[in-house]
Amino acid sequence: MKILEKRAALREWRLAHSKESIGFVPTMGALHAGHRSLLERARKENDRVALSIFVNPTQFNSADDFTNYPHAWEQDLAMAADCGVDAVFAPEAIEMYSDATSAYRITESEFSKRLCGAFRPGHFDGVLTVVMKFFQIIHPTRAYFGEKDRQQLELVRGMSRAFFLDVDIVSCPTVREPDGLALSSRNLRLSAQERAVAPELHRVITQVKNRDEAWLKLESSGFRVEYLEDIDDIRYVAAWLGKVRLIDNVPR
Ligand code: AMP
């Protein structure tokens, strides 16, 4: 397994495998079984698998959240090796955002302004920009995204269509704890007490069909609900437990 920090090294790796299919899994590290499911799917469907581990500064709108984002480099590499990853791309921020280019970004002006975008201004610009940059360096055949971040998945799909990108966007089901809590790197920051309450998020949005009732139920369980919206056939939620922001979505 190659560990690459420079764009030039990744390009070289890609060129060496130009006749092969490449499955790409972008992540911010602190890998868990949700990421593993993407890596395993990529492993099955492609000749080569590339994983990026990059805590992307431009998608954070809170300095606190960025600073406190969990890191687990050694465990991440062990999981990557175990999943048969061929190349891990872990660039420094300057490698992705040189001073000369940092004023350029991808902006979506409709869906990205709703749900998470309404509460995290600029977040999806940061996501789409870094994903576009990765795509331009790696030229993956397929790229894998989790349904847990469904708004992100839809926006990446939309960007791919809008710019005629030659990559298949593959969506992967949300991996959950046995109690229903969607796996997330941020779960590591829940206290024991918060962790005990956290599964209520999935239980309530699945079982309480009336939106206002579901909202109230979550608030009375100790969540501070940011949004709870039914759009088309999906129910989306974001809610805080203490200092941790959890998101989820389920079919309606
Ligand atoms: P992150 O490291 O949080 O940016 O996530 C990297 C990728 O893993 C994204 O496509 C996420 O949607 C996906 N992912 C994160 N958590 C889960 C989960 N519990 N189940 C499935 N995919 C996930």
Side-chain angles (χ1 to χ4, degrees):
M1 184 170 81
K2 289 211 175 338
I3 298 167
L4 308 170
E5 293 178 358
K6 300 291 177 200
R7 295 191 313 270
L10 190 63
R11 264 196 186 287
E12 209 174 291
W13 175 82
R14 181 53 173 117
L15 280 173
H17 301 290
S18 57
K19 299 265 181 309
E20 294 171 287
S21 61
I22 306 284
F24 171 50
V25 180
T27 77
M28 298 204 297
L31 303 182
H32 50 64
H35 301 109
R36 177 185 277 276
S37 73
L38 274 56
L39 291 169
E40 287 176 346
R41 175 112 182 244
R43 179 67 283 166
K44 274 200 204 103
E45 298 180 350
N46 301 277
D47 298 323
R48 302 277 162 183
V49 175
L51 160 71
S52 64
I53 297 180
F54 180 60
V55 183
N56 174 32
T58 65
Q59 72 187 70
F60 285 83
N61 52 328
S62 141
D64 223 32
D65 192 23
F66 179 61
T67 314
N68 291 323
Y69 200 82
H71 294 264
W73 180 244
E74 295 300 329
Q75 291 100 303
D76 288 354
L77 290 187
M79 185 186 289
D82 193 48
C83 293
V85 168
D86 297 284
V88 179
F89 183 47
E92 297 280 348
I94 192 70
E95 192 68 13
M96 299 302 289
Y97 299 100
S98 68
D99 291 347
T101 63
S102 60
Y104 290 83
R105 65 192 59 131
I106 302 279
T107 299
E108 194 275 354
S109 56
E110 292 177 7
F111 191 43
S112 75
K113 306 299 176 201
R114 301 177 68 180
L115 304 171
C116 285
F119 294 88
R120 303 183 68 188
H123 167 66
F124 287 115
D125 289 4
V127 169
L128 294 177
T129 300
V130 81
V131 169
M132 180 66 108
K133 284 172 181 260
F134 282 137
F135 284 179
Q136 297 311 312
I137 304 168
I138 302 174
H139 295 289
T141 316
R142 301 179 187 85
Y144 295 79
F145 292 86
E147 288 172 4
K148 181 194 156 248
D149 301 281
R150 189 179 286 275
Q151 189 179 11
Q152 167 176 287
L153 164 69
E154 296 303 336
L155 287 165
V156 169
R157 238 192 238 299
M159 175 178 78
S160 176
R161 285 197 200 109
F163 294 103
F164 318 117
L165 302 184
D166 196 13
V167 52
D168 279 352
I169 306 300
V170 182
S171 67
C172 303
T174 303
V175 176
R176 298 180 181 281
E177 300 281 5
D179 60 18
L181 177 64
L183 295 189
S184 163
S185 308
R186 289 188 177 85
N187 294 353
L188 296 171
R189 288 165 43 200
L190 295 168
S191 69
Q193 205 180 359
E194 289 160 354
R195 176 62 189 82
V197 175
E200 275 296 281
L201 187 66
H202 178 245
R203 195 189 68 74
V204 170
I205 63 166
T206 310
Q207 293 179 5
V208 182
K209 296 297 170 200
N210 180 281
R211 173 183 170 273
D212 295 347
E213 262 175 51
W215 188 304
L216 286 175
K217 180 83 192 77
L218 287 172
E219 293 274 345
S220 68
S221 304
F223 291 90
R224 186 166 61 76
V225 177
E226 209 172 67
Y227 64 77
L228 174 53
E229 275 196 57
D230 297 326
I231 302 179
D232 300 329
D233 51 353
I234 304 290
R235 170 172 277 184
Y236 298 84
V237 69
W240 292 81
L241 259 186
K243 291 194 154 133
V244 183
R245 182 176 179 275
L246 300 175
I247 61 170
D248 205 345
N249 68 89
V250 291
R252 292 217 276 151

